[in-house]
Amino acid sequence: MSWLSDLARNSAGAARRPIMLSALVSLVAVGTAGGVWLMDSRAEAAAEVATAKKQAVARKIHELNTINEGEGAELVLQGESAQARNSRIPMSSTLERLSGVSGLPLSGPVYETALKCMTQAVYYEAANEPLRGKRAVAQVVLNRMRHSAYPNSVCGVVYEGSNQRVCQFSFTCDGSLLRGPMARQWNESREVAKAALAGSTEPSVGTATHYHADYVLPRWAFQLGKLEKIGVHIFYRFKGSWGSSNAFTRRWSGHEAIPSLDFGRMRERLAANVEIVAPEPEFVPGTTVVADVKDRHASYDVGGRIDTTKTWRLTIPDPVTASSTYRATLGEHGAGSSAGDTSSAEQQP
């Protein structure tokens, strides 16, 4: 009976082994599927986080790009009142210095295009500013080129929005380019541009990405950190991490091009912005009285108005002396004669 018992046990074990193996395979399959599902879930979650971050960055960049548009571009004040109010905006306590730009070639067609764009920016924005003011404008251009909120080329920064509703550098859309540059100021601007493209910096403006003239006060000035005032320009940085040195990490694109410009539109804007001033009357040397069409006088006198370049003095004779002179004249020439008006204008030596 023992063998029968053994056979029965062996038979039962043999029967159970395939069942156990099948169950194990099933568990492994389920585990593998679960692992794949878990990996897929983590990948999807990571992708969602990455997408959310990209969207957040895109929204921030859009916010930064539009900070000086719409209501932000409105002028709160102009003139002397703007200068006084600008002076009361406190300076930012954060000033970080950036290293000079690198990676740009210093010769060749691409370099020449970049140099032209930079020279234009320095000239049309700061031709009559001190040297440090010119350097600061060049610094702003290069700061923008390295910031993710702006194009990553020199010309891309300078001509951003030139054919759109809002241009970032006004000279690219207001008709200023239609005016030929002055030789000395252009050459000075070109030297500043060359130095900036070669790595020179203006430390006093640090991470500045904006500036405006002190005789206007745009609303966006209150949204940024004020860094420095040079000449008539006040320079600003973004607040927070977007204005820190860590935000200026983009590399130069390697491509430079000046876009096609709508010069017809520029001429219209230039004509609209030109103040119509009546021509000055011609000034006659030797006089301080300018001729006026209402004057009724000969061309060689000043129409009864005192010319302070001469030493003419109006004198009124003493009545007694005038009377005796008049009587003597009557006696000498007869009653029918007259010496004219008793007042006279004597030229003093």
Side-chain angles (χ1 to χ4, degrees), residues 162-196:
S162 57
N163 287 320
Q164 300 172 11
R165 184 174 56 86
V166 177
C167 52
Q168 294 296 315
F169 289 81
S170 59
F171 77 89
T172 65
C173 61
D174 66 3
S176 296
L177 288 170
L178 298 173
R179 301 188 179 106
M182 296 176 286
R184 178 180 62 80
Q185 289 89 336
W186 178 264
N187 292 333
E188 291 174 354
S189 300
R190 182 179 171 85
E191 290 304 310
V192 170
K194 289 172 66 175

Side-chain angles (χ1 to χ4, degrees), residues 50-60:
T51 300
K53 286 183 178 179
K54 288 181 180 179
Q55 291 175 344
V57 170
R59 286 194 297 271
K60 185 62 179 178

Side-chain angles (χ1 to χ4, degrees), residues 271-289:
N273 291 331
V274 171
E275 182 182 359
I276 300 177
V277 180
E280 288 288 336
E282 184 179 355
F283 179 73
V284 179
T287 71
T288 57
V289 181

Side-chain angles (χ1 to χ4, degrees), residues 30-46:
V30 170
T32 303
V36 173
W37 176 82
L38 183 60
M39 291 174 63
D40 288 345
S41 297
R42 288 178 178 174
E44 289 178 4

Side-chain angles (χ1 to χ4, degrees), residues 3-266:
W3 64 271
L4 185 59
S5 299
D6 291 339
L7 180 61
R9 284 197 299 271
N10 291 337
S11 298
R16 284 197 301 270
R17 278 196 294 273
I19 296 174
M20 293 175 62
L21 182 60
S22 177
L24 181 60
V25 171
S26 297
L27 287 173
V28 171
V30 170
T32 303
V36 173
W37 176 82
L38 183 60
M39 291 174 63
D40 288 345
S41 297
R42 288 178 178 174
E44 289 178 4
E48 289 178 358
V49 170
T51 300
K53 286 183 178 179
K54 288 181 180 179
Q55 291 175 344
V57 170
R59 286 194 297 271
K60 185 62 179 178
I61 289 176
H62 176 73
E63 176 189 333
L64 297 179
N65 278 329
T66 57
I67 199 169
N68 59 341
E69 298 179 12
E71 293 182 358
E74 292 179 359
L75 297 183
V76 179
L77 292 170
Q78 297 186 64
E80 294 182 1
S81 56
Q83 292 174 325
R85 184 64 185 86
N86 277 318
S87 66
R88 293 198 297 271
I89 297 178
M91 291 288 186
S92 172
S93 59
T94 303
L95 175 61
E96 297 183 66
R97 297 184 177 182
L98 295 176
S99 59
V101 69
S102 61
L104 276 76
L106 298 182
S107 62
V110 175
Y111 169 75
E112 290 299 327
T113 303
L115 178 60
K116 180 177 181 179
C117 290
M118 180 64 86
T119 303
Q120 288 176 327
V122 174
Y123 175 82
Y124 287 104
E125 296 288 312
N128 295 313
E129 289 294 289
L131 176 60
R132 197 161 67 96
K134 292 182 175 67
R135 288 163 55 94
V137 168
Q139 180 81 33
V140 167
V141 172
L142 294 179
N143 285 354
R144 287 194 171 197
M145 186 187 77
R146 293 191 284 180
H147 198 284
S148 57
Y150 301 99
N152 57 340
S153 69
V154 176
C155 295
V157 167
V158 172
Y159 281 91
E160 184 179 10
S162 57
N163 287 320
Q164 300 172 11
R165 184 174 56 86
V166 177
C167 52
Q168 294 296 315
F169 289 81
S170 59
F171 77 89
T172 65
C173 61
D174 66 3
S176 296
L177 288 170
L178 298 173
R179 301 188 179 106
M182 296 176 286
R184 178 180 62 80
Q185 289 89 336
W186 178 264
N187 292 333
E188 291 174 354
S189 300
R190 182 179 171 85
E191 290 304 310
V192 170
K194 289 172 66 175
L197 295 180
S200 176
T201 63
E202 177 48 52
S204 64
V205 297
T207 59
T209 50
H210 292 71
Y211 61 86
H212 67 79
D214 66 352
Y215 47 80
V216 297
L217 176 57
R219 196 174 300 277
W220 58 257
F222 297 101
Q223 303 177 50
L224 302 175
K226 180 180 175 183
L227 291 177
E228 180 66 293
K229 182 178 185 298
I230 305 175
V232 299
H233 288 144
I234 305 173
F235 295 83
Y236 299 81
R237 66 183 285 273
F238 286 128
K239 290 183 177 180
S241 61
W242 288 90
S244 71
S245 57
N246 293 331
F248 297 82
T249 57
R250 293 185 79 195
R251 294 183 177 275
W252 174 60
S253 67
H255 176 72
E256 295 289 348
I258 298 176
S260 298
L261 301 173
D262 187 346
F263 287 102
R265 179 170 172 239
M266 283 189 183

